[in-house]
Amino acid sequence: MAVIGIMSAMHEELAAVLAEMPDEQRVVAAGRDFWVGHWQGHSVVAVLSRIGKVAAATTATVLLERFQVDTMVFTGVAGGLGSGVRVGDVVVASGFVQHDMDASPLFARHEVPLYGRACFDAHAGLSAQLAKASAQVLHAAELHLSRETLTQFQVSAPRVHQGLVISGDRFVSTNAESQALRLVLPEALAVEMEGAAVAQVCHDYQVPFAAVRTISDRADDMAHTDFNRFIREVASRYSLAILSQWLADRQPD
Ligand code: SAH
């Protein structure tokens, strides 16, 4: 039976997933709690990714080595960079670049040494499934979020985007920094702190990986505003609904 690894960046997202698992057992490895069980008939291992590239890469490696995960999905929040990528939208990654990787002049900027590439692709089929599930959830956003929450965060007609997600060990929270990222990586739709690391690990193990991120901020001077409340009231509900919809559409194998 396939084993799905679910990595959540936020405690609230993981808690929402665990509330849906009838039989989860805690297994401690590498100082992390891995939750092994089932969700909608699928065999899953859910875990907090931890924040930043190294922490997330370690978590992913344990999922692959110790728990024999053969499909990996990641949920979290991200800062919107692309024009039209607004707070409350969802970005499904098509590929990932580490924006803080720079071994120039030995290698091209952003290229990961010895891999001959800067971009690690998400699995196309898995990403298409997550994009479909996201569209279904956002189409009925008011089923998952209260009117007050929608108004508070000015979420209206939220959209699903698919494209490049960039990762680095920085919470991007100034206009100057997000503008600088747009200049060097103009195709980037969103910035976060884990995706490219997990994509690289999954590339090494040849395990399909896809990630879905709710846009919590615009990576600008306002990026910290109501971050925690957004996670609680918007992002964790979206993540749960999107994963649940995705699993419902997926044949257990
Ligand atoms: N201030 C927050 C910090 C969380 S770290 C707190 O109080 O906990 C930010 C998390 O959200 C990481 O998982 C990262 O992947 C994602 N993220 C959201 N917006 C981001 C941004 N503007 N830049 C980088 N990462 C961002």
Side-chain angles (χ1 to χ4, degrees):
M1 190 182 190
V3 183
I4 300 170
I6 298 177
M7 299 180 70
S8 304
M10 300 291 158
H11 277 286
E12 293 83 351
E13 290 177 303
L14 177 64
V17 169
L18 294 181
E20 301 289 312
M21 290 172 65
D23 59 347
E24 76 278 12
Q25 301 282 334
R26 184 169 72 111
V27 180
V28 180
R32 291 145 164 81
D33 291 338
F34 292 82
W35 299 93
V36 181
H38 293 86
W39 185 8
Q40 297 187 35
H42 299 270
S43 196
V44 307
V45 184
V47 63
L48 198 63
S49 67
R50 299 208 178 179
I51 292 175
K53 290 185 300 176
V54 173
T58 303
T59 307
T61 306
V62 176
L63 277 172
L64 292 158
E65 279 285 347
R66 169 102 183 244
F67 297 95
Q68 309 284 303
V69 156
D70 49 28
T71 300
M72 188 86 85
V73 297
F74 194 109
T75 68
V77 291
L81 283 181
S83 63
V85 180
R86 302 167 55 206
V87 170
D89 285 0
V90 163
V91 171
V92 176
S94 58
F96 305 85
V97 167
Q98 295 180 39
H99 67 73
D100 54 358
M101 173 60 76
D102 189 356
S104 61
L106 303 177
F107 297 90
R109 186 160 181 200
H110 302 129
E111 181 175 327
V112 182
L114 310 185
Y115 283 80
R117 65 172 72 212
C119 185
F120 290 85
D121 292 336
H123 186 271
L126 204 50
S127 299
Q129 291 169 11
L130 285 178
K132 183 172 164 230
S134 303
Q136 280 170 277
V137 167
L138 291 198
H139 186 66
E142 62 285 356
L143 292 181
H144 307 283
L145 308 184
S146 70
R147 182 140 303 283
E148 193 216 337
T149 302
L150 290 165
T151 314
Q152 144 100 24
F153 292 104
Q154 298 179 4
V155 175
S156 67
R159 292 175 53 199
V160 181
H161 310 264
Q162 268 189 282
L164 181 67
V165 169
I166 60 175
S167 313
D169 287 325
R170 278 202 304 274
F171 184 74
V172 179
S173 56
T174 64
N175 292 348
E177 199 179 345
S178 49
Q179 194 48 34
L181 288 172
R182 270 185 215 103
L183 280 177
V184 286
L185 290 162
E187 304 102 272
L189 294 184
V191 59
E192 37 84 313
M193 302 176 68
E194 300 85 16
V198 177
Q200 185 176 330
V201 173
C202 288
H203 169 87
D204 287 341
Y205 283 84
Q206 301 193 346
V207 163
F209 172 58
V212 49
R213 294 271 184 174
T214 303
I215 299 304
S216 54
D217 58 89
R218 282 284 304 168
D220 56 12
D221 296 346
M222 305 285 289
H224 62 283
T225 322
D226 284 332
F227 187 81
N228 293 323
R229 192 161 166 227
F230 184 87
I231 308 280
R232 212 168 48 241
E233 294 180 18
V234 182
S236 59
R237 294 181 194 201
Y238 274 2
S239 301
L240 181 70
I242 291 166
L243 290 178
S244 176
Q245 179 72 49
W246 170 62
L247 288 177
D249 290 346
R250 200 180 149 89
Q251 296 297 341
D253 45 11

